[in-house]
Amino acid sequence: MTKHGAVVVPEDAVVAAAAVGWMEKHPSALGKFEALAAAAKGKRIVVFLDYDGTLSPIVEDPDRAVMTDEMRDAVRGVAARFPTAIVSGRCRDKVLSFVGLEELYYAGSHGMDIQGPTNAAASKGGEEEEESVLCQPAREFLPMIGEAYAALVEKVEGVIPGAKVENNKFCLSVHFRRVDERRWGAVADQVRAVLRGYPRLRLTQGRKVLEVRPAIKWDKGEALRFLLSALGFSAAGDGEDDGDDDDAFPIYIGDDRTDEDAFRVLRARGHGAGILVSRFPKDTCASFSLRDPGEVKDFLRKLVTCAAA
């Protein structure tokens, strides 16, 4: 059709064309699995996984973000063959309780609380658990975060219906998924008002969640660097020479804005694969995509099959 002599393209066609273009730049990690496996040949694969939206679906109540037994089996199979870490904004202990696999590395609070593989006895507390804690760069912020948590519970959760403040130990998450859309701005305003009293805490946003974190140079990308170094690989991407950079092939799978920090590290590094979990085109530094946790499970199973071949 035309309008004033110009061709008018239907909106659906424009959206479809944009989606096709996006998929060309960020192809399915399942569809390109053989190419990805070829790039990893001769290297040691290291797997990094976000939790919410990656291993479990996004749900209204964050306390009900439970992964399926099938997904747990897929993660267990990967961890039996490759070093595997869960990198989440959640509290490390909570993610461990959701996943239930002691043989993994867990980087909670956006990587500010990193623990190595442990065992059932260690997970109950004691010296073994303390020895398995590898990195806590924001430990000095704990009293401040506790104060901010109490203030946010009073000023946000206690005032705005549907708002929920989650204490993730080294960071706080203010969930507004269940808040009336007309009050989303009020949630943000209240959070900012509380944080005026805590200038050493910073505010970022995820998927219907506001994240309160210590204002230090640490994020999921830094956690990825740290874990690679702890495993004996180069954490580079910045020209540092602290190991054989060619030995590792990191694969990072995540769905949120906070995962972009890790995708950027992989892109700068020049080795490995960042995989964004999304049904819709998004600005991302990831090289590949998967549509949902179901496809993540299929991808992990393919990794296991490939390793067994």
Side-chain angles (χ1 to χ4, degrees), residues 22 48-59 87-89 110 177 205-209 211 220 252-260 262-263 274-284 286 288-293 296:
W22 188 85
F48 298 87
L49 302 164
D50 180 33
Y51 184 76
D52 293 276
T54 299
L55 298 182
S56 73
I58 297 293
V59 294
V87 186
S88 171
H110 298 287
R177 183 173 297 274
Q205 185 170 346
R207 294 175 64 178
K208 293 188 174 64
V209 61
E211 304 279 5
K220 289 184 177 182
Y252 188 106
I253 309 178
D255 75 305
D256 204 354
R257 294 182 187 180
T258 57
D259 298 306
E260 292 297 325
F263 295 151
I275 303 174
L276 176 70
V277 183
S278 178
R279 288 183 174 274
F280 309 102
K282 293 180 180 179
D283 289 335
T284 182
F288 299 92
S289 64
L290 292 168
R291 289 174 57 82
D292 51 38
V296 173

Side-chain angles (χ1 to χ4, degrees), residues 182-217:
R182 292 169 296 183
R183 302 206 66 186
W184 288 357
V187 173
D189 290 343
Q190 286 289 83
V191 172
R192 291 191 188 97
V194 169
L195 292 188
R196 289 191 193 104
Y198 301 94
R200 296 183 67 198
L201 299 180
R202 65 187 175 101
L203 182 64
T204 60
Q205 185 170 346
R207 294 175 64 178
K208 293 188 174 64
V209 61
L210 297 171
E211 304 279 5
V212 177
R213 292 190 260 173
I216 62 173
K217 187 182 179 347

Side-chain angles (χ1 to χ4, degrees), residues 24-35:
E24 288 177 352
K25 293 181 179 179
H26 312 284
S28 167
L30 285 171
K32 293 290 185 179
F33 186 85
E34 285 70 22

Side-chain angles (χ1 to χ4, degrees), residues 67-79 101 301 304:
M67 66 192 297
T68 65
D69 289 339
E70 291 81 4
M71 180 67 87
R72 184 172 293 103
D73 287 341
V75 174
R76 182 185 290 114
V78 167
L101 299 175
R301 285 177 170 171
V304 171

Side-chain angles (χ1 to χ4, degrees), residues 2-309:
T2 63
K3 183 177 181 181
H4 304 303
V7 176
V8 178
V9 181
E11 184 177 349
D12 289 348
V14 173
V15 172
V20 170
W22 188 85
M23 286 300 298
E24 288 177 352
K25 293 181 179 179
H26 312 284
S28 167
L30 285 171
K32 293 290 185 179
F33 186 85
E34 285 70 22
L36 201 155
K41 189 174 182 180
K43 301 178 175 66
R44 191 178 182 196
I45 292 174
V46 186
V47 179
F48 298 87
L49 302 164
D50 180 33
Y51 184 76
D52 293 276
T54 299
L55 298 182
S56 73
I58 297 293
V59 294
E60 291 293 317
D61 183 352
D63 289 334
R64 296 181 179 274
V66 179
M67 66 192 297
T68 65
D69 289 339
E70 291 81 4
M71 180 67 87
R72 184 172 293 103
D73 287 341
V75 174
R76 182 185 290 114
V78 167
R81 293 160 176 83
F82 313 110
T84 302
I86 309 295
V87 186
S88 171
R90 298 267 202 158
C91 171
R92 169 170 54 83
D93 290 341
K94 181 169 286 188
V95 177
L96 173 57
S97 71
F98 280 152
V99 177
L101 299 175
E102 305 285 344
E103 60 268 34
L104 307 182
Y105 290 82
Y106 288 89
S109 303
H110 298 287
M112 286 183 279
D113 188 12
I114 302 177
Q115 182 181 38
T118 179
N119 55 49
S123 68
K124 296 176 183 177
E127 292 183 5
E128 290 184 61
E129 183 179 25
E130 286 300 315
E131 290 176 1
S132 69
V133 174
L134 303 178
C135 182
Q136 292 181 333
R139 180 180 284 272
E140 67 175 286
F141 286 84
L142 283 176
M144 185 186 305
I145 291 170
E147 290 179 14
Y149 172 68
L152 287 169
V153 168
E154 178 184 354
K155 303 291 186 180
V156 181
E157 187 174 303
V159 174
I160 302 176
K164 180 179 177 62
V165 183
E166 184 178 13
N167 189 340
N168 292 313
K169 190 172 182 176
F170 291 96
C171 65
L172 306 172
S173 298
V174 182
H175 300 275
F176 57 90
R177 183 173 297 274
R178 302 174 76 177
V179 174
D180 187 306
E181 187 172 349
R182 292 169 296 183
R183 302 206 66 186
W184 288 357
V187 173
D189 290 343
Q190 286 289 83
V191 172
R192 291 191 188 97
V194 169
L195 292 188
R196 289 191 193 104
Y198 301 94
R200 296 183 67 198
L201 299 180
R202 65 187 175 101
L203 182 64
T204 60
Q205 185 170 346
R207 294 175 64 178
K208 293 188 174 64
V209 61
L210 297 171
E211 304 279 5
V212 177
R213 292 190 260 173
I216 62 173
K217 187 182 179 347
W218 199 268
D219 51 38
K220 289 184 177 182
E222 294 301 317
L224 184 151
R225 289 178 188 272
F226 175 87
L227 282 166
L228 286 175
S229 182
L231 289 165
F233 301 113
S234 171
D238 53 9
E240 294 179 4
D241 184 14
D242 53 358
D244 187 348
D245 198 39
D246 291 333
D247 282 351
F249 190 87
I251 297 174
Y252 188 106
I253 309 178
D255 75 305
D256 204 354
R257 294 182 187 180
T258 57
D259 298 306
E260 292 297 325
D261 295 313
F263 295 151
R264 277 190 285 272
V265 168
L266 291 184
R267 176 164 289 191
R269 178 185 173 86
H271 295 282
I275 303 174
L276 176 70
V277 183
S278 178
R279 288 183 174 274
F280 309 102
K282 293 180 180 179
D283 289 335
T284 182
C285 288
S287 301
F288 299 92
S289 64
L290 292 168
R291 289 174 57 82
D292 51 38
E295 288 199 351
V296 173
K297 178 183 65 180
D298 293 342
F299 179 83
L300 296 179
R301 285 177 170 171
K302 286 191 73 117
L303 273 182
V304 171
T305 302
C306 181

